[in-house]
Amino acid sequence: MSNPIRVGVLVSGRGRGTNLQAIIDACERGETAAQVSVVISTNPEAGAVERARRHGIEALIVDPQQFASQENYERELTRLLHERRVDLVCLAGYMRKLSPLFIGAFRNRILNIHPALLPAFGGQGMYGHHVHEAVLESGAKFSGVTVHLVDEEYDHGPIVLQTVVPVHDDDTPDTLAARVLEQEHKLYPQAIRLFAEKRLKVEGRRVKIVEEP
Ligand code: GRF
């Protein structure tokens, strides 16, 4: 594999890290021309930290509360990612809003995964179980997974890839979450592969997938 791109993964809170794991596994299997260069977590207890270290990947803890302002915190994140020559930032269970400062430093180079079909069931407060509960309450017959570029608003940037997941009559938030998560683990590595192959062309709000870069 020639020159794999360098990926930095951000996680926050408890961050169990199953998406991180799927990305690492896809890279190790050689399916994605990428390598995870660093994982940055707000919390030392996050499962993602342990998973990274098990694979010999650098895992850093950067606690926003140790900084005088959000701006200082994000400056540090930016510095650490630049220092490691990261080409692509992947949010994987990173629940904090990123400011224009950070987004500007990695414009169109930040991906997020959301456990529903955006633009429905997204936005502030729509994370974890809240998403699946809202889908079930709405009566929707389908949910899914969205990988999108990150912009200044929650769950709003241009959509890169989506997978549809059926909602079953007897679903609970847990059973739906599990079916969706299975698809997340396939879709995130796929999006990273397309990015690495320079096959994503952003045109306004639309991301076209081209055959050749
Ligand atoms: C996933 O459901 C993802 O869609 C959302 O946060 C969750 C992270 O799960 N953004 P994990 O830590 O990757 O297992």
Side-chain angles (χ1 to χ4, degrees), residues 11 14-21 48 51 91-95 112-116 128 132 145 180-181 184-185:
V11 299
R14 275 167 296 167
R16 60 193 164 166
T18 66
N19 276 286
L20 168 69
Q21 189 69 55
R51 287 179 193 269
L91 310 185
Y94 186 81
M95 307 303 179
N112 182 43
I113 187 155
H114 185 78
H132 307 296
V145 181
V180 167
L181 190 64
E184 292 185 40
H185 296 161

mmCIF file with all atom_site columns, all heavy atoms in Angstrom, residues 11 14-21 48 51 91-95 112-116 128 132 145 180-181 184-185, ligand 1:
data_model
loop_
_atom_site.group_PDB
_atom_site.id
_atom_site.type_symbol
_atom_site.label_atom_id
_atom_site.label_alt_id
_atom_site.label_comp_id
_atom_site.label_asym_id
_atom_site.label_entity_id
_atom_site.label_seq_id
_atom_site.pdbx_PDB_ins_code
_atom_site.Cartn_x
_atom_site.Cartn_y
_atom_site.Cartn_z
_atom_site.occupancy
_atom_site.B_iso_or_equiv
_atom_site.pdbx_formal_charge
_atom_site.auth_seq_id
_atom_site.auth_comp_id
_atom_site.auth_asym_id
_atom_site.auth_atom_id
_atom_site.pdbx_PDB_model_num
ATOM   1   N N   . VAL A 1 11  ? -12.508 11.069 20.296 1.00 0.00 ? 11  VAL A N   1
ATOM   2   C CA  . VAL A 1 11  ? -13.619 10.502 21.060 1.00 0.00 ? 11  VAL A CA  1
ATOM   3   C C   . VAL A 1 11  ? -13.821 11.325 22.326 1.00 0.00 ? 11  VAL A C   1
ATOM   4   O O   . VAL A 1 11  ? -12.886 11.971 22.805 1.00 0.00 ? 11  VAL A O   1
ATOM   5   C CB  . VAL A 1 11  ? -13.386 9.016  21.444 1.00 0.00 ? 11  VAL A CB  1
ATOM   6   C CG1 . VAL A 1 11  ? -13.243 8.144  20.219 1.00 0.00 ? 11  VAL A CG1 1
ATOM   7   C CG2 . VAL A 1 11  ? -12.180 8.847  22.328 1.00 0.00 ? 11  VAL A CG2 1
ATOM   8   N N   . ARG A 1 14  ? -17.518 8.460  27.444 1.00 0.00 ? 14  ARG A N   1
ATOM   9   C CA  . ARG A 1 14  ? -17.106 7.076  27.709 1.00 0.00 ? 14  ARG A CA  1
ATOM   10  C C   . ARG A 1 14  ? -16.525 6.401  26.473 1.00 0.00 ? 14  ARG A C   1
ATOM   11  O O   . ARG A 1 14  ? -15.786 5.432  26.589 1.00 0.00 ? 14  ARG A O   1
ATOM   12  C CB  . ARG A 1 14  ? -18.277 6.268  28.266 1.00 0.00 ? 14  ARG A CB  1
ATOM   13  C CG  . ARG A 1 14  ? -18.395 6.442  29.776 1.00 0.00 ? 14  ARG A CG  1
ATOM   14  C CD  . ARG A 1 14  ? -19.719 5.910  30.258 1.00 0.00 ? 14  ARG A CD  1
ATOM   15  N NE  . ARG A 1 14  ? -20.817 6.691  29.701 1.00 0.00 ? 14  ARG A NE  1
ATOM   16  C CZ  . ARG A 1 14  ? -22.082 6.331  29.729 1.00 0.00 ? 14  ARG A CZ  1
ATOM   17  N NH1 . ARG A 1 14  ? -22.430 5.198  30.257 1.00 0.00 ? 14  ARG A NH1 1
ATOM   18  N NH2 . ARG A 1 14  ? -23.009 7.111  29.228 1.00 0.00 ? 14  ARG A NH2 1
ATOM   19  N N   . GLY A 1 15  ? -16.918 6.907  25.314 1.00 0.00 ? 15  GLY A N   1
ATOM   20  C CA  . GLY A 1 15  ? -16.348 6.452  24.036 1.00 0.00 ? 15  GLY A CA  1
ATOM   21  C C   . GLY A 1 15  ? -15.899 5.001  23.989 1.00 0.00 ? 15  GLY A C   1
ATOM   22  O O   . GLY A 1 15  ? -14.710 4.713  23.971 1.00 0.00 ? 15  GLY A O   1
ATOM   23  N N   . ARG A 1 16  ? -16.876 4.075  23.887 1.00 0.00 ? 16  ARG A N   1
ATOM   24  C CA  . ARG A 1 16  ? -16.512 2.647  23.951 1.00 0.00 ? 16  ARG A CA  1
ATOM   25  C C   . ARG A 1 16  ? -15.606 2.238  22.805 1.00 0.00 ? 16  ARG A C   1
ATOM   26  O O   . ARG A 1 16  ? -14.873 1.264  22.885 1.00 0.00 ? 16  ARG A O   1
ATOM   27  C CB  . ARG A 1 16  ? -17.783 1.781  24.007 1.00 0.00 ? 16  ARG A CB  1
ATOM   28  C CG  . ARG A 1 16  ? -18.629 1.985  22.797 1.00 0.00 ? 16  ARG A CG  1
ATOM   29  C CD  . ARG A 1 16  ? -20.018 1.456  22.839 1.00 0.00 ? 16  ARG A CD  1
ATOM   30  N NE  . ARG A 1 16  ? -20.691 2.126  21.732 1.00 0.00 ? 16  ARG A NE  1
ATOM   31  C CZ  . ARG A 1 16  ? -21.831 1.788  21.228 1.00 0.00 ? 16  ARG A CZ  1
ATOM   32  N NH1 . ARG A 1 16  ? -22.492 0.783  21.732 1.00 0.00 ? 16  ARG A NH1 1
ATOM   33  N NH2 . ARG A 1 16  ? -22.339 2.447  20.213 1.00 0.00 ? 16  ARG A NH2 1
ATOM   34  N N   . GLY A 1 17  ? -15.704 2.962  21.661 1.00 0.00 ? 17  GLY A N   1
ATOM   35  C CA  . GLY A 1 17  ? -14.697 2.784  20.606 1.00 0.00 ? 17  GLY A CA  1
ATOM   36  C C   . GLY A 1 17  ? -14.926 1.650  19.638 1.00 0.00 ? 17  GLY A C   1
ATOM   37  O O   . GLY A 1 17  ? -13.976 1.175  19.024 1.00 0.00 ? 17  GLY A O   1
ATOM   38  N N   . THR A 1 18  ? -16.196 1.242  19.428 1.00 0.00 ? 18  THR A N   1
ATOM   39  C CA  . THR A 1 18  ? -16.382 0.148  18.467 1.00 0.00 ? 18  THR A CA  1
ATOM   40  C C   . THR A 1 18  ? -16.166 0.630  17.027 1.00 0.00 ? 18  THR A C   1
ATOM   41  O O   . THR A 1 18  ? -15.700 -0.137 16.188 1.00 0.00 ? 18  THR A O   1
ATOM   42  C CB  . THR A 1 18  ? -17.763 -0.534 18.602 1.00 0.00 ? 18  THR A CB  1
ATOM   43  O OG1 . THR A 1 18  ? -18.786 0.394  18.240 1.00 0.00 ? 18  THR A OG1 1
ATOM   44  C CG2 . THR A 1 18  ? -17.992 -1.044 20.018 1.00 0.00 ? 18  THR A CG2 1
ATOM   45  N N   . ASN A 1 19  ? -16.502 1.879  16.747 1.00 0.00 ? 19  ASN A N   1
ATOM   46  C CA  . ASN A 1 19  ? -16.219 2.394  15.394 1.00 0.00 ? 19  ASN A CA  1
ATOM   47  C C   . ASN A 1 19  ? -14.713 2.542  15.181 1.00 0.00 ? 19  ASN A C   1
ATOM   48  O O   . ASN A 1 19  ? -14.211 2.232  14.103 1.00 0.00 ? 19  ASN A O   1
ATOM   49  C CB  . ASN A 1 19  ? -16.942 3.720  15.157 1.00 0.00 ? 19  ASN A CB  1
ATOM   50  C CG  . ASN A 1 19  ? -18.371 3.499  14.715 1.00 0.00 ? 19  ASN A CG  1
ATOM   51  O OD1 . ASN A 1 19  ? -18.614 3.105  13.578 1.00 0.00 ? 19  ASN A OD1 1
ATOM   52  N ND2 . ASN A 1 19  ? -19.314 3.710  15.618 1.00 0.00 ? 19  ASN A ND2 1
ATOM   53  N N   . LEU A 1 20  ? -14.031 3.024  16.204 1.00 0.00 ? 20  LEU A N   1
ATOM   54  C CA  . LEU A 1 20  ? -12.562 3.091  16.111 1.00 0.00 ? 20  LEU A CA  1
ATOM   55  C C   . LEU A 1 20  ? -12.019 1.702  15.777 1.00 0.00 ? 20  LEU A C   1
ATOM   56  O O   . LEU A 1 20  ? -11.166 1.546  14.904 1.00 0.00 ? 20  LEU A O   1
ATOM   57  C CB  . LEU A 1 20  ? -11.972 3.592  17.437 1.00 0.00 ? 20  LEU A CB  1
ATOM   58  C CG  . LEU A 1 20  ? -10.457 3.433  17.545 1.00 0.00 ? 20  LEU A CG  1
ATOM   59  C CD1 . LEU A 1 20  ? -9.747  4.379  16.585 1.00 0.00 ? 20  LEU A CD1 1
ATOM   60  C CD2 . LEU A 1 20  ? -9.982  3.657  18.981 1.00 0.00 ? 20  LEU A CD2 1
ATOM   61  N N   . GLN A 1 21  ? -12.531 0.696  16.486 1.00 0.00 ? 21  GLN A N   1
ATOM   62  C CA  . GLN A 1 21  ? -12.059 -0.674 16.266 1.00 0.00 ? 21  GLN A CA  1
ATOM   63  C C   . GLN A 1 21  ? -12.293 -1.100 14.816 1.00 0.00 ? 21  GLN A C   1
ATOM   64  O O   . GLN A 1 21  ? -11.407 -1.696 14.190 1.00 0.00 ? 21  GLN A O   1
ATOM   65  C CB  . GLN A 1 21  ? -12.800 -1.623 17.219 1.00 0.00 ? 21  GLN A CB  1
ATOM   66  C CG  . GLN A 1 21  ? -12.246 -3.018 17.219 1.00 0.00 ? 21  GLN A CG  1
ATOM   67  C CD  . GLN A 1 21  ? -10.855 -3.078 17.856 1.00 0.00 ? 21  GLN A CD  1
ATOM   68  O OE1 . GLN A 1 21  ? -10.688 -2.645 18.982 1.00 0.00 ? 21  GLN A OE1 1
ATOM   69  N NE2 . GLN A 1 21  ? -9.871  -3.593 17.129 1.00 0.00 ? 21  GLN A NE2 1
ATOM   70  N N   . ALA A 1 48  ? -12.087 3.463  23.909 1.00 0.00 ? 48  ALA A N   1
ATOM   71  C CA  . ALA A 1 48  ? -11.299 3.715  22.695 1.00 0.00 ? 48  ALA A CA  1
ATOM   72  C C   . ALA A 1 48  ? -9.805  3.830  23.015 1.00 0.00 ? 48  ALA A C   1
ATOM   73  O O   . ALA A 1 48  ? -8.955  3.454  22.204 1.00 0.00 ? 48  ALA A O   1
ATOM   74  C CB  . ALA A 1 48  ? -11.801 4.993  22.021 1.00 0.00 ? 48  ALA A CB  1
ATOM   75  N N   . ARG A 1 51  ? -8.411  0.370  23.373 1.00 0.00 ? 51  ARG A N   1
ATOM   76  C CA  . ARG A 1 51  ? -8.377  -0.295 22.062 1.00 0.00 ? 51  ARG A CA  1
ATOM   77  C C   . ARG A 1 51  ? -7.196  0.218  21.237 1.00 0.00 ? 51  ARG A C   1
ATOM   78  O O   . ARG A 1 51  ? -6.497  -0.566 20.591 1.00 0.00 ? 51  ARG A O   1
ATOM   79  C CB  . ARG A 1 51  ? -9.677  -0.017 21.295 1.00 0.00 ? 51  ARG A CB  1
ATOM   80  C CG  . ARG A 1 51  ? -10.873 -0.750 21.831 1.00 0.00 ? 51  ARG A CG  1
ATOM   81  C CD  . ARG A 1 51  ? -12.089 -0.348 20.992 1.00 0.00 ? 51  ARG A CD  1
ATOM   82  N NE  . ARG A 1 51  ? -13.340 -0.742 21.594 1.00 0.00 ? 51  ARG A NE  1
ATOM   83  C CZ  . ARG A 1 51  ? -13.968 -1.896 21.371 1.00 0.00 ? 51  ARG A CZ  1
ATOM   84  N NH1 . ARG A 1 51  ? -13.430 -2.777 20.554 1.00 0.00 ? 51  ARG A NH1 1
ATOM   85  N NH2 . ARG A 1 51  ? -15.126 -2.144 21.941 1.00 0.00 ? 51  ARG A NH2 1
ATOM   86  N N   . LEU A 1 91  ? -14.448 11.728 13.725 1.00 0.00 ? 91  LEU A N   1
ATOM   87  C CA  . LEU A 1 91  ? -15.130 11.769 15.019 1.00 0.00 ? 91  LEU A CA  1
ATOM   88  C C   . LEU A 1 91  ? -15.829 10.425 15.190 1.00 0.00 ? 91  LEU A C   1
ATOM   89  O O   . LEU A 1 91  ? -16.581 9.994  14.304 1.00 0.00 ? 91  LEU A O   1
ATOM   90  C CB  . LEU A 1 91  ? -16.167 12.899 15.056 1.00 0.00 ? 91  LEU A CB  1
ATOM   91  C CG  . LEU A 1 91  ? -15.685 14.291 14.610 1.00 0.00 ? 91  LEU A CG  1
ATOM   92  C CD1 . LEU A 1 91  ? -16.807 15.314 14.840 1.00 0.00 ? 91  LEU A CD1 1
ATOM   93  C CD2 . LEU A 1 91  ? -14.420 14.707 15.335 1.00 0.00 ? 91  LEU A CD2 1
ATOM   94  N N   . ALA A 1 92  ? -15.555 9.770  16.295 1.00 0.00 ? 92  ALA A N   1
ATOM   95  C CA  . ALA A 1 92  ? -16.167 8.462  16.529 1.00 0.00 ? 92  ALA A CA  1
ATOM   96  C C   . ALA A 1 92  ? -16.642 8.441  17.976 1.00 0.00 ? 92  ALA A C   1
ATOM   97  O O   . ALA A 1 92  ? -15.909 8.074  18.884 1.00 0.00 ? 92  ALA A O   1
ATOM   98  C CB  . ALA A 1 92  ? -15.160 7.346  16.258 1.00 0.00 ? 92  ALA A CB  1
ATOM   99  N N   . GLY A 1 93  ? -17.878 8.930  18.166 1.00 0.00 ? 93  GLY A N   1
ATOM   100 C CA  . GLY A 1 93  ? -18.377 9.077  19.529 1.00 0.00 ? 93  GLY A CA  1
ATOM   101 C C   . GLY A 1 93  ? -17.804 10.329 20.172 1.00 0.00 ? 93  GLY A C   1
ATOM   102 O O   . GLY A 1 93  ? -17.534 10.352 21.368 1.00 0.00 ? 93  GLY A O   1
ATOM   103 N N   . TYR A 1 94  ? -17.616 11.359 19.362 1.00 0.00 ? 94  TYR A N   1
ATOM   104 C CA  . TYR A 1 94  ? -17.145 12.656 19.887 1.00 0.00 ? 94  TYR A CA  1
ATOM   105 C C   . TYR A 1 94  ? -18.357 13.569 19.930 1.00 0.00 ? 94  TYR A C   1
ATOM   106 O O   . TYR A 1 94  ? -18.892 13.954 18.893 1.00 0.00 ? 94  TYR A O   1
ATOM   107 C CB  . TYR A 1 94  ? -16.049 13.235 18.991 1.00 0.00 ? 94  TYR A CB  1
ATOM   108 C CG  . TYR A 1 94  ? -15.424 14.495 19.563 1.00 0.00 ? 94  TYR A CG  1
ATOM   109 C CD1 . TYR A 1 94  ? -14.439 14.410 20.533 1.00 0.00 ? 94  TYR A CD1 1
ATOM   110 C CD2 . TYR A 1 94  ? -15.843 15.754 19.137 1.00 0.00 ? 94  TYR A CD2 1
ATOM   111 C CE1 . TYR A 1 94  ? -13.867 15.557 21.068 1.00 0.00 ? 94  TYR A CE1 1
ATOM   112 C CE2 . TYR A 1 94  ? -15.274 16.907 19.675 1.00 0.00 ? 94  TYR A CE2 1
ATOM   113 C CZ  . TYR A 1 94  ? -14.284 16.795 20.632 1.00 0.00 ? 94  TYR A CZ  1
ATOM   114 O OH  . TYR A 1 94  ? -13.724 17.931 21.169 1.00 0.00 ? 94  TYR A OH  1
ATOM   115 N N   . MET A 1 95  ? -18.825 13.885 21.138 1.00 0.00 ? 95  MET A N   1
ATOM   116 C CA  . MET A 1 95  ? -20.126 14.552 21.296 1.00 0.00 ? 95  MET A CA  1
ATOM   117 C C   . MET A 1 95  ? -20.021 16.073 21.437 1.00 0.00 ? 95  MET A C   1
ATOM   118 O O   . MET A 1 95  ? -21.031 16.739 21.594 1.00 0.00 ? 95  MET A O   1
ATOM   119 C CB  . MET A 1 95  ? -20.857 14.007 22.537 1.00 0.00 ? 95  MET A CB  1
ATOM   120 C CG  . MET A 1 95  ? -20.983 12.512 22.576 1.00 0.00 ? 95  MET A CG  1
ATOM   121 S SD  . MET A 1 95  ? -21.822 11.863 21.132 1.00 0.00 ? 95  MET A SD  1
ATOM   122 C CE  . MET A 1 95  ? -21.783 10.117 21.478 1.00 0.00 ? 95  MET A CE  1
ATOM   123 N N   . ASN A 1 112 ? -17.817 12.588 10.422 1.00 0.00 ? 112 ASN A N   1
ATOM   124 C CA  . ASN A 1 112 ? -18.548 12.134 11.605 1.00 0.00 ? 112 ASN A CA  1
ATOM   125 C C   . ASN A 1 112 ? -19.485 11.012 11.180 1.00 0.00 ? 112 ASN A C   1
ATOM   126 O O   . ASN A 1 112 ? -19.899 10.947 10.027 1.00 0.00 ? 112 ASN A O   1
ATOM   127 C CB  . ASN A 1 112 ? -19.363 13.282 12.204 1.00 0.00 ? 112 ASN A CB  1
ATOM   128 C CG  . ASN A 1 112 ? -20.100 12.856 13.468 1.00 0.00 ? 112 ASN A CG  1
ATOM   129 O OD1 . ASN A 1 112 ? -19.538 12.158 14.322 1.00 0.00 ? 112 ASN A OD1 1
ATOM   130 N ND2 . ASN A 1 112 ? -21.362 13.252 13.590 1.00 0.00 ? 112 ASN A ND2 1
ATOM   131 N N   . ILE A 1 113 ? -19.799 10.142 12.121 1.00 0.00 ? 113 ILE A N   1
ATOM   132 C CA  . ILE A 1 113 ? -20.791 9.100  11.846 1.00 0.00 ? 113 ILE A CA  1
ATOM   133 C C   . ILE A 1 113 ? -21.978 9.321  12.771 1.00 0.00 ? 113 ILE A C   1
ATOM   134 O O   . ILE A 1 113 ? -21.811 9.612  13.959 1.00 0.00 ? 113 ILE A O   1
ATOM   135 C CB  . ILE A 1 113 ? -20.198 7.688  11.984 1.00 0.00 ? 113 ILE A CB  1
ATOM   136 C CG1 . ILE A 1 113 ? -21.203 6.628  11.522 1.00 0.00 ? 113 ILE A CG1 1
ATOM   137 C CG2 . ILE A 1 113 ? -19.697 7.390  13.402 1.00 0.00 ? 113 ILE A CG2 1
ATOM   138 C CD1 . ILE A 1 113 ? -20.574 5.345  11.058 1.00 0.00 ? 113 ILE A CD1 1
ATOM   139 N N   . HIS A 1 114 ? -23.170 9.215  12.192 1.00 0.00 ? 114 HIS A N   1
ATOM   140 C CA  . HIS A 1 114 ? -24.393 9.455  12.958 1.00 0.00 ? 114 HIS A CA  1
ATOM   141 C C   . HIS A 1 114 ? -25.315 8.248  12.790 1.00 0.00 ? 114 HIS A C   1
ATOM   142 O O   . HIS A 1 114 ? -25.508 7.773  11.665 1.00 0.00 ? 114 HIS A O   1
ATOM   143 C CB  . HIS A 1 114 ? -25.072 10.732 12.453 1.00 0.00 ? 114 HIS A CB  1
ATOM   144 C CG  . HIS A 1 114 ? -26.271 11.102 13.260 1.00 0.00 ? 114 HIS A CG  1
ATOM   145 N ND1 . HIS A 1 114 ? -26.171 11.707 14.500 1.00 0.00 ? 114 HIS A ND1 1
ATOM   146 C CD2 . HIS A 1 114 ? -27.593 10.919 13.036 1.00 0.00 ? 114 HIS A CD2 1
ATOM   147 C CE1 . HIS A 1 114 ? -27.378 11.892 14.995 1.00 0.00 ? 114 HIS A CE1 1
ATOM   148 N NE2 . HIS A 1 114 ? -28.261 11.432 14.127 1.00 0.00 ? 114 HIS A NE2 1
ATOM   149 N N   . PRO A 1 115 ? -25.928 7.771  13.896 1.00 0.00 ? 115 PRO A N   1
ATOM   150 C CA  . PRO A 1 115 ? -26.702 6.532  13.808 1.00 0.00 ? 115 PRO A CA  1
ATOM   151 C C   . PRO A 1 115 ? -28.145 6.721  13.362 1.00 0.00 ? 115 PRO A C   1
ATOM   152 O O   . PRO A 1 115 ? -29.073 6.184  13.965 1.00 0.00 ? 115 PRO A O   1
ATOM   153 C CB  . PRO A 1 115 ? -26.618 5.994  15.242 1.00 0.00 ? 115 PRO A CB  1
ATOM   154 C CG  . PRO A 1 115 ? -26.538 7.217  16.093 1.00 0.00 ? 115 PRO A CG  1
ATOM   155 C CD  . PRO A 1 115 ? -25.796 8.243  15.285 1.00 0.00 ? 115 PRO A CD  1
ATOM   156 N N   . ALA A 1 116 ? -28.365 7.490  12.314 1.00 0.00 ? 116 ALA A N   1
ATOM   157 C CA  . ALA A 1 116 ? -29.696 7.661  11.720 1.00 0.00 ? 116 ALA A CA  1
ATOM   158 C C   . ALA A 1 116 ? -29.502 8.254  10.329 1.00 0.00 ? 116 ALA A C   1
ATOM   159 O O   . ALA A 1 116 ? -28.379 8.573  9.929  1.00 0.00 ? 116 ALA A O   1
ATOM   160 C CB  . ALA A 1 116 ? -30.563 8.592  12.570 1.00 0.00 ? 116 ALA A CB  1
ATOM   161 N N   . GLY A 1 128 ? -26.735 8.854  20.898 1.00 0.00 ? 128 GLY A N   1
ATOM   162 C CA  . GLY A 1 128 ? -26.979 7.601  21.619 1.00 0.00 ? 128 GLY A CA  1
ATOM   163 C C   . GLY A 1 128 ? -28.437 7.179  21.541 1.00 0.00 ? 128 GLY A C   1
ATOM   164 O O   . GLY A 1 128 ? -29.056 7.235  20.475 1.00 0.00 ? 128 GLY A O   1
ATOM   165 N N   . HIS A 1 132 ? -32.394 6.659  18.681 1.00 0.00 ? 132 HIS A N   1
ATOM   166 C CA  . HIS A 1 132 ? -33.203 5.461  18.386 1.00 0.00 ? 132 HIS A CA  1
ATOM   167 C C   . HIS A 1 132 ? -34.597 5.561  19.005 1.00 0.00 ? 132 HIS A C   1
ATOM   168 O O   . HIS A 1 132 ? -35.581 5.100  18.430 1.00 0.00 ? 132 HIS A O   1
ATOM   169 C CB  . HIS A 1 132 ? -32.453 4.213  18.844 1.00 0.00 ? 132 HIS A CB  1
ATOM   170 C CG  . HIS A 1 132 ? -31.066 4.153  18.269 1.00 0.00 ? 132 HIS A CG  1
ATOM   171 N ND1 . HIS A 1 132 ? -30.844 4.030  16.911 1.00 0.00 ? 132 HIS A ND1 1
ATOM   172 C CD2 . HIS A 1 132 ? -29.839 4.280  18.840 1.00 0.00 ? 132 HIS A CD2 1
ATOM   173 C CE1 . HIS A 1 132 ? -29.539 4.049  16.679 1.00 0.00 ? 132 HIS A CE1 1
ATOM   174 N NE2 . HIS A 1 132 ? -28.907 4.207  17.834 1.00 0.00 ? 132 HIS A NE2 1
ATOM   175 N N   . VAL A 1 145 ? -27.656 4.815  8.820  1.00 0.00 ? 145 VAL A N   1
ATOM   176 C CA  . VAL A 1 145 ? -26.365 5.364  9.233  1.00 0.00 ? 145 VAL A CA  1
ATOM   177 C C   . VAL A 1 145 ? -25.980 6.449  8.238  1.00 0.00 ? 145 VAL A C   1
ATOM   178 O O   . VAL A 1 145 ? -26.202 6.287  7.035  1.00 0.00 ? 145 VAL A O   1
ATOM   179 C CB  . VAL A 1 145 ? -25.272 4.265  9.203  1.00 0.00 ? 145 VAL A CB  1
ATOM   180 C CG1 . VAL A 1 145 ? -23.936 4.834  9.650  1.00 0.00 ? 145 VAL A CG1 1
ATOM   181 C CG2 . VAL A 1 145 ? -25.664 3.073  10.053 1.00 0.00 ? 145 VAL A CG2 1
ATOM   182 N N   . VAL A 1 180 ? -28.206 -0.973 13.791 1.00 0.00 ? 180 VAL A N   1
ATOM   183 C CA  . VAL A 1 180 ? -27.590 0.205  13.160 1.00 0.00 ? 180 VAL A CA  1
ATOM   184 C C   . VAL A 1 180 ? -26.064 0.159  13.336 1.00 0.00 ? 180 VAL A C   1
ATOM   185 O O   . VAL A 1 180 ? -25.304 0.408  12.393 1.00 0.00 ? 180 VAL A O   1
ATOM   186 C CB  . VAL A 1 180 ? -28.187 1.509  13.759 1.00 0.00 ? 180 VAL A CB  1
ATOM   187 C CG1 . VAL A 1 180 ? -27.370 2.728  13.374 1.00 0.00 ? 180 VAL A CG1 1
ATOM   188 C CG2 . VAL A 1 180 ? -29.638 1.685  13.301 1.00 0.00 ? 180 VAL A CG2 1
ATOM   189 N N   . LEU A 1 181 ? -25.633 -0.205 14.536 1.00 0.00 ? 181 LEU A N   1
ATOM   190 C CA  . LEU A 1 181 ? -24.186 -0.199 14.831 1.00 0.00 ? 181 LEU A CA  1
ATOM   191 C C   . LEU A 1 181 ? -23.418 -1.149 13.907 1.00 0.00 ? 181 LEU A C   1
ATOM   192 O O   . LEU A 1 181 ? -22.318 -0.830 13.442 1.00 0.00 ? 181 LEU A O   1
ATOM   193 C CB  . LEU A 1 181 ? -23.951 -0.584 16.300 1.00 0.00 ? 181 LEU A CB  1
ATOM   194 C CG  . LEU A 1 181 ? -22.517 -0.398 16.818 1.00 0.00 ? 181 LEU A CG  1
ATOM   195 C CD1 . LEU A 1 181 ? -22.110 1.075  16.811 1.00 0.00 ? 181 LEU A CD1 1
ATOM   196 C CD2 . LEU A 1 181 ? -22.371 -0.965 18.237 1.00 0.00 ? 181 LEU A CD2 1
ATOM   197 N N   . GLU A 1 184 ? -22.795 0.719  10.930 1.00 0.00 ? 184 GLU A N   1
ATOM   198 C CA  . GLU A 1 184 ? -21.804 1.786  11.141 1.00 0.00 ? 184 GLU A CA  1
ATOM   199 C C   . GLU A 1 184 ? -20.402 1.245  10.897 1.00 0.00 ? 184 GLU A C   1
ATOM   200 O O   . GLU A 1 184 ? -19.559 1.893  10.286 1.00 0.00 ? 184 GLU A O   1
ATOM   201 C CB  . GLU A 1 184 ? -21.888 2.320  12.578 1.00 0.00 ? 184 GLU A CB  1
ATOM   202 C CG  . GLU A 1 184 ? -23.161 3.071  12.886 1.00 0.00 ? 184 GLU A CG  1
ATOM   203 C CD  . GLU A 1 184 ? -23.143 3.675  14.289 1.00 0.00 ? 184 GLU A CD  1
ATOM   204 O OE1 . GLU A 1 184 ? -22.100 4.192  14.720 1.00 0.00 ? 184 GLU A OE1 1
ATOM   205 O OE2 . GLU A 1 184 ? -24.193 3.638  14.960 1.00 0.00 ? 184 GLU A OE2 1
ATOM   206 N N   . HIS A 1 185 ? -20.186 0.029  11.409 1.00 0.00 ? 185 HIS A N   1
ATOM   207 C CA  . HIS A 1 185 ? -18.838 -0.547 11.340 1.00 0.00 ? 185 HIS A CA  1
ATOM   208 C C   . HIS A 1 185 ? -18.412 -0.847 9.910  1.00 0.00 ? 185 HIS A C   1
ATOM   209 O O   . HIS A 1 185 ? -17.227 -0.960 9.629  1.00 0.00 ? 185 HIS A O   1
ATOM   210 C CB  . HIS A 1 185 ? -18.778 -1.806 12.202 1.00 0.00 ? 185 HIS A CB  1
ATOM   211 C CG  . HIS A 1 185 ? -18.998 -1.522 13.655 1.00 0.00 ? 185 HIS A CG  1
ATOM   212 N ND1 . HIS A 1 185 ? -19.367 -2.469 14.558 1.00 0.00 ? 185 HIS A ND1 1
ATOM   213 C CD2 . HIS A 1 185 ? -18.911 -0.347 14.353 1.00 0.00 ? 185 HIS A CD2 1
ATOM   214 C CE1 . HIS A 1 185 ? -19.499 -1.916 15.761 1.00 0.00 ? 185 HIS A CE1 1
ATOM   215 N NE2 . HIS A 1 185 ? -19.235 -0.623 15.653 1.00 0.00 ? 185 HIS A NE2 1
HETATM 216 C C1  . GRF B 2 .   ? -21.988 5.613  17.437 1.00 0.00 ? 1   GRF B C1  1
HETATM 217 O O1  . GRF B 2 .   ? -23.288 5.178  17.546 1.00 0.00 ? 1   GRF B O1  1
HETATM 218 C C2  . GRF B 2 .   ? -21.894 6.757  16.474 1.00 0.00 ? 1   GRF B C2  1
HETATM 219 O O2  . GRF B 2 .   ? -22.868 6.727  15.483 1.00 0.00 ? 1   GRF B O2  1
HETATM 220 C C3  . GRF B 2 .   ? -22.090 7.966  17.353 1.00 0.00 ? 1   GRF B C3  1
HETATM 221 O O3  . GRF B 2 .   ? -21.467 7.613  18.566 1.00 0.00 ? 1   GRF B O3  1
HETATM 222 C C4  . GRF B 2 .   ? -21.457 6.220  18.725 1.00 0.00 ? 1   GRF B C4  1
HETATM 223 C C5  . GRF B 2 .   ? -20.049 5.801  19.018 1.00 0.00 ? 1   GRF B C5  1
HETATM 224 O O4  . GRF B 2 .   ? -19.973 4.436  19.323 1.00 0.00 ? 1   GRF B O4  1
HETATM 225 N N1  . GRF B 2 .   ? -21.576 9.154  16.731 1.00 0.00 ? 1   GRF B N1  1
HETATM 226 P P1  . GRF B 2 .   ? -18.575 3.729  19.487 1.00 0.00 ? 1   GRF B P1  1
HETATM 227 O O5  . GRF B 2 .   ? -17.818 4.436  20.603 1.00 0.00 ? 1   GRF B O5  1
HETATM 228 O O6  . GRF B 2 .   ? -17.847 3.832  18.195 1.00 0.00 ? 1   GRF B O6  1
HETATM 229 O O7  . GRF B 2 .   ? -18.875 2.301  19.839 1.00 0.00 ? 1   GRF B O7  1
#
